């Protein structure tokens, strides 16, 4: 069991000692629904920290944010950031260290084990309520959610509404941390790639039709990119007009920047954007599922990433984010690589 | 409302002059509409120039409204559209829509001295009003120009400036010493402080890099210029030119329609968002 | 014109609108969106809030402004590409989304007017639906001067009364639409009129969320441009475009030229939605950016809606639909932000 008081105590301690500049964690959301990210600078505010299955966000994106912000500062604050992570989120930290985007010392990791649970999927909760609006969600004893609607309270076992990512999670406890809360209990995952089973069994034509229909919906709000801890490039192929421009960038460089993807939310451009993003996440996506959760039009983006995760596992015996000392998939080479061209 | 505001009118480039060479080149383009046009601007206004296939860029009109034969634009090569413009030749055709924005209240300045202060490409937006004042010299008091750039190569309108020397006080400057150049060495605000123009019955118009504008205004205030006597032009990223696309605002003001010309008395009340 | 239409007869009305393109809320998987429909049965008036408001029909995310063919030498061809002249009707417009159209009207009608928007607006009839039950947890229309049965921006308002609709038209466009199938409408009884009043009254009570003393907030915002408040409030912002792209009142756009690499001189100039939340929205070509961080961009969103727009158009640029709250992945809640402004020292 993760004791919330212990987490708060440790956060308070590291803030008091000045070990970290601030702690990123979860607090109650504005409407008492799912949790919201919170940034705590003062030891006396650590009682705001919570931990329960409504803590859906992957907070590692804010490490990326801080790193980018510090890089623009004349006098960067190089103290580590304290961060609360779940198992999946911790793997994102490993990838960032592996790719040398951050150093191990940049973060002080407060790791939380999901133990036998994980986080909830709001869409699954909504389904259970058959259209009734949620007024409040509370996490109660015995791993139940108490969901209030206008018709009163309803008890829903967390297990019934766990996010798919949690059902297929390969390590539901942090694989890197400074302090661990909860147990590193093993949990058998029978079908780690269950969600892609259906699309995999379909004919290419059917799959193509499926993805065309899904990607047609995209409004290019770039929430998937914005929320992804692996999307940290200063310059992105999705942006036709921007690049990391400085006073030294010449007019020619700016003018020659290729518009790979137009801003129009046309199917061709949407497919271009999402496929480029998926490919760039191959061997990097740690399956926090945040892209899919953030998507306002419900594109099942996780399926794309999961498929590539499976390919990395099967072809190269590579699982993402478990060891930051290992070379990353795309920067490593093996003699037994199945492709001829690389040898 | 019959006009489609987004449709550019075609214009031929009748003359191109390389003002500045090197890594930050500036060219001056003179254009004539292919068909008769009711395009009529006032000093300080801008126009949206189109290179079809590349896009549009908002550029200040550097010719005086008194010049009826052509529209003139002096353009620093900076991004996608301006690079395409720099690659064009005389006889090529571009699109123009506008004019946009407010203008210098030059009618109100009759009888006053006008001091023009520019830095680098910042002379272009005030060149139009300078030419108008010069053409109607009798209406105004003393005209003077303080202008500087990094090097003497970076001055725009070099020949015109030489000619103008016979008509008004011209104080040029360069940032660092250069062999064979006897002009003031130092930044434009330092030149202003050095020349000590009198605020009496005067208006000052300044345009250049934001940092230069800031220090020029400080220098002018030091000399006793009141906020109402100082005018400047502001630029922000623009797309529509008519206050609808939402990006060029400084607080509640859209620079494309409420600007680009502001007195310091007005501008200082707006948030620092430019 | 005030009439009664039974739910059973509703499809007959739509079937009679042969000269119109009919749009309405359609359910796809777990979400509703306004789509063009051929079959009246597809239309689902028992819907929760759509992801996008009907703004997307009047001000589409992509609008072709002109087609061009630029010759290397010689005169380029430019062809104006105005929207097709059609007659459109949108059913199931939420009163907040209709009010939002009156706000985008202010921007696009202001001289010089925007032909593309105005043509689409004028050729579209808006048929509203009273929100007898708020379609979202985060509805707060009543705080912005609206209501679940507001008629602003609508040609017709329908209100559900058990097995029938009370249909009220206020404009010529609306009356014409009802006349297209006059035999399906009946005259309302006194009881119907009484019931209507009751439903409208009840609907207002069901709006749970609210912002109090907005004018006080607007006044306070004027002095808060340089406040550290924006840094604090924007800490968790991800810099995505959800809040603005889903907003029924946001009108910002980009204009760009689209060509194929195989024919770089021939293409289309298009207008696409843009958002103040993206860094390159305001970036100059020099790289200088007047709104360089998420704190200045959150400030812009709030000030535009609750200060600048009030100064320029004498109205709040928000109708309380709650979409930006419901869909924000990190729970940035515009109501909370405004309430905090009020209490900010």
């Amino acid at each position: 069991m993760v004791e919330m008081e212990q987490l708060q105590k440790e956060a308070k301690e590291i803030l008091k000692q000045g070990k970290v500049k601030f702690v990123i964690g979860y607090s109650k959301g504005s409407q008492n629904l799912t949790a919201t990210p919170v940034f705590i600078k003062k030891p006396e505010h650590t009682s705001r920290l919570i931990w329960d299955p409504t803590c859906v966000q992957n907070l590692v994106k804010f490490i990326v944010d801080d790193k980018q912000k510090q890089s623009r500062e004349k006098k960067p604050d190089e103290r580590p950031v304290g961060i609360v992570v779940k198992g999946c989120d911790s793997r994102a930290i490993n990838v960032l260290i592996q790719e040398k985007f951050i150093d191990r010392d940049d973060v002080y990791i407060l790791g939380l084990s999901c133990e036998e649970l994980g986080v909830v999927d709001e869409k699954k909760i909504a389904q259970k309520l058959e259209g009734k609006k949620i007024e409040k969600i509370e996490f109660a004893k015995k791993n139940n959610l108490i969901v209030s609607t206008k018709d009163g309270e309803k008890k829903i076992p967390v297990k019934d509404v766990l996010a798919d990512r949690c059902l297929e999670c390969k390590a539901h406890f942090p694989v890197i941390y400074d302090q661990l809360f909860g147990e590193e209990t093993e949990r058998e995952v029978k079908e780690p790639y269950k969600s892609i089973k259906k699309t995999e069994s379909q004919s290419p034509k059917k799959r193509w039709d499926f993805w065309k229909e899904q990607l047609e919906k995209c409004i290019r709000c770039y929430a998937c990119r914005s929320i992804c801890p692996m999307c940290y490039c200063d310059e992105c192929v999705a942006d036709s007009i921007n690049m990391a421009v400085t006073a030294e960038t010449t007019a020619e460089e700016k003018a020659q920047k290729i518009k790979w993807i137009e801003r129009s939310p046309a199917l061709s451009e949407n497919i271009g954007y999402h496929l480029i993003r998926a490919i760039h996440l191959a061997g990097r996506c740690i399956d926090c599922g945040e892209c899919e959760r953030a998507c306002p039009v419900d594109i099942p983006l996780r399926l794309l990433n999961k498929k590539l995760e499976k390919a990395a596992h099967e072809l190269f015996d590579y699982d993402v984010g478990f060891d930051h000392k290992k070379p990353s998939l795309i920067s490593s080479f093996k003699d037994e690589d199945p492709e001829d061209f690389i040898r | 409302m019959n006009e489609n505001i987004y449709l550019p009118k075609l214009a031929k480039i009748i003359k191109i002059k390389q003002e500045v060479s090197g890594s930050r080149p500036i060219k001056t383009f003179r254009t004539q509409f292919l068909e008769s046009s009711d395009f009529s601007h006032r000093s300080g206004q801008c126009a949206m120039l189109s290179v079809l296939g590349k896009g549009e860029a908002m550029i200040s009109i550097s010719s005086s409204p008194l010049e009826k034969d052509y529209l003139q634009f002096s353009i620093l090569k900076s991004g996608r559209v301006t690079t395409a413009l720099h690659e064009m030749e005389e006889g090529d055709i571009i699109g123009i829509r506008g004019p946009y924005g407010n203008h210098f209240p030059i009618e109100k300045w009759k009888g006053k001295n006008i001091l023009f202060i520019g830095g680098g490409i910042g002379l272009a937006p005030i060149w139009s009003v300078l030419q108008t004042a010069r053409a109607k010299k009798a209406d105004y008091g003393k005209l003077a120009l303080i202008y500087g750039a990094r090097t003497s190569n970076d001055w725009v309108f070099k020949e015109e400036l030489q000619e103008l020397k016979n008509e008004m006080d011209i104080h040029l400057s360069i940032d660092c010493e250069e062999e064979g150049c006897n002009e003031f060495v130092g930044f434009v605000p330092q030149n202003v402080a050095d020349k000590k123009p009198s605020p009496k019955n005067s208006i000052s118009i300044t345009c250049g890099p934001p940092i230069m504008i800031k220090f020029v205004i400080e220098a002018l205030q030091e000399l006793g210029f009141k906020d109402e006597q100082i005018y400047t032009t502001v630029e922000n990223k623009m797309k529509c030119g008519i206050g609808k696309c939402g990006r060029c605002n400084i607080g509640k003001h859209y620079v494309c329609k409420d600007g680009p010309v502001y007195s310091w008395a007005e501008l200082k009340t707006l948030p620092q968002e430019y | 014109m005030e009439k009664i239409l039974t739910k059973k007869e509703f499809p007959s009305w739509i079937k009679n609108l042969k000269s119109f393109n009919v749009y309405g809320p359609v359910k796809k998987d777990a979400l509703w969106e306004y789509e063009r429909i051929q079959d009246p049965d597809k239309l689902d008036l028992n819907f929760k809030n759509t992801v996008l408001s009907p703004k997307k029909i009047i001000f589409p995310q992509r609008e072709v402004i002109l087609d061009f063919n630029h010759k290397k030498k010689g005169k380029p061809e430019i062809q104006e590409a105005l929207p097709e002249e059609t007659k459109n009707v949108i059913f199931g417009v939420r009163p907040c989304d209709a009010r939002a159209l009156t706000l985008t009207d202010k921007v696009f009608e202001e001289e010089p007017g925007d032909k593309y928007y105005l043509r689409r607006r004028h050729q579209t009839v808006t048929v509203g639906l009273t929100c007898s039950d708020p379609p979202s947890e985060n509805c707060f229309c009543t705080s912005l001067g609206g209501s679940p049965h507001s008629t602003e921006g609508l040609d017709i308002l329908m209100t559900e009364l058990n097995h029938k609709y009370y249909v009220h038209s206020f404009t010529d466009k609306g009356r014409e639409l009802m006349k297209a199938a006059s035999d399906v409408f009946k005259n309302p009884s006194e009881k119907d009129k009484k019931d209507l009043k009751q439903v409208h009254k009840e609907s207002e009570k069901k709006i749970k969320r609210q912002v109090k003393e907005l004018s006080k907030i607007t006044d306070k915002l004027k002095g808060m441009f340089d406040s550290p408040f924006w840094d604090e409030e924007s800490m968790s912002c991800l810099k995505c475009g959800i809040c603005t792209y889903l907003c029924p009142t946001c009108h910002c756009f980009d204009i760009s030229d689209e060509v194929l690499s195989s024919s770089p001189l021939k293409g289309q100039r298009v207008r696409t939605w843009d958002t103040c939340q993206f860094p390159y929205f305001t970036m100059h070509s020099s790289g200088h950016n007047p709104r360089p961080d998420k704190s200045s961009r959150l400030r812009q969103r709030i000030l535009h809606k609750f200060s600048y727009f009030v100064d320029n158009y004498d109205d709040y640029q928000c109708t309380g639909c709650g979409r930006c709250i419901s869909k924000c992945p990190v729970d940035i809640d515009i109501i909370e932000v405004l309430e905090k402004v009020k209490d900010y020292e």
Side-chain angles (χ1 to χ4, degrees), chain A residues 254-296:
Chain A
K254 284 179 262 184
Q256 282 159 13
K257 157 93 173 155
I258 295 170
K259 289 214 258 171
W260 294 104
I261 302 165
E262 300 287 2
R263 295 201 77 170
S264 289
L267 182 62
S268 61
E269 311 308 291
N270 295 353
I271 289 176
Y273 164 61
H274 286 288
L275 292 195
I276 291 172
R277 210 182 91 83
I279 294 292
H280 282 192
L281 287 171
R284 302 177 66 235
C285 169
I286 46 83
D287 194 21
C288 65
E290 281 288 87
C291 46
E292 183 171 306
R293 184 184 68 83
C295 180

Side-chain angles (χ1 to χ4, degrees), chain C residues 270-288:
Chain C
V270 298
R271 152 157 90 195
T272 45
W273 290 352
D274 206 346
T275 157
C276 56
Q277 300 304 299
F278 288 164
Y280 46 76
F281 184 64
T282 49
M283 193 175 84
H284 295 192
S285 93
S286 64
H288 168 66

Side-chain angles (χ1 to χ4, degrees), chain C residues 217-225 230 302-303 306-307 341:
Chain C
I217 295 170
T218 294
D219 285 346
K220 192 132 178 218
L221 283 170
K222 285 197 193 309
M224 281 181 65
F225 189 87
W230 307 110
I302 302 294
L303 288 183
F306 298 97
S307 177
V341 165

Side-chain angles (χ1 to χ4, degrees), chain A residues 85-145:
Chain A
V85 296
K86 306 184 287 286
C88 49
D89 313 336
S90 77
R91 300 198 291 275
I93 292 190
N94 262 342
V95 178
L96 292 178
I97 299 173
Q98 193 180 27
E99 295 180 354
K100 301 195 164 44
F101 185 77
I102 61 169
D103 292 330
R104 176 66 185 86
D105 298 340
D106 288 336
V107 279
Y108 187 92
I109 306 167
L110 304 165
L112 300 169
S113 173
C114 294
E115 297 183 325
E116 70 269 37
L117 293 177
V119 295
V120 297
D121 180 336
E122 290 165 89
K123 287 165 201 151
K124 287 187 185 175
I125 299 178
Q127 261 172 17
K128 293 251 174 211
L129 299 174
E130 292 156 348
K132 283 193 282 277
K133 287 188 293 291
I134 306 170
E135 286 166 1
K136 194 176 176 187
I137 299 179
E138 233 170 342
F139 181 59
K141 278 193 185 114
K142 296 191 179 151
N143 296 336
N144 284 312
L145 291 176

Side-chain angles (χ1 to χ4, degrees), chain B residues 1-8 10 34-35 50-56 78-79 88-89 92-93 97 235-237 239-240 242-247 249 251-252 254 257 271-274, chain C residues 65-66 68 70 73-76 78 80 82 107-108 110 112-116 118 225 251-255 257 259 269 271 274 281-286 288 290-291 300 304 308 311-312:
Chain B
M1 190 214 51
N2 294 314
E3 212 194 342
N4 186 338
I5 45 184
Y6 300 109
L7 284 191
L10 297 176
L34 294 188
E35 284 159 25
S50 271
V51 180
L52 295 164
K54 298 289 179 187
E56 294 183 299
S78 173
M88 293 191 129
E89 291 167 8
D92 285 352
I93 290 169
R97 59 185 178 94
E235 63 164 6
N236 256 348
K237 182 83 180 168
K239 285 286 179 175
C240 71
I242 46 176
K244 303 195 196 299
C245 81
R247 74 193 61 224
N249 69 303
K252 67 175 180 180
Y254 285 106
K257 68 185 178 83
Q272 229 283 314
E273 244 187 331
Y274 45 90
Chain C
I65 292 176
L66 55 90
F68 60 81
H70 194 184
K73 289 284 162 214
K75 195 175 153 186
I78 295 181
E80 182 183 42
L82 284 172
V107 175
F108 290 109
E110 189 184 359
D114 186 294
K115 263 189 155 179
Y116 301 84
L118 294 176
F225 189 87
H251 59 77
C252 295
F253 59 83
D254 190 12
I255 296 174
D257 287 4
V259 292
R269 178 159 291 170
R271 152 157 90 195
D274 206 346
F281 184 64
T282 49
M283 193 175 84
H284 295 192
S285 93
S286 64
H288 168 66
R291 290 201 276 271
Q300 166 65 17
H304 190 189
Y308 309 153
D311 284 339
N312 290 334

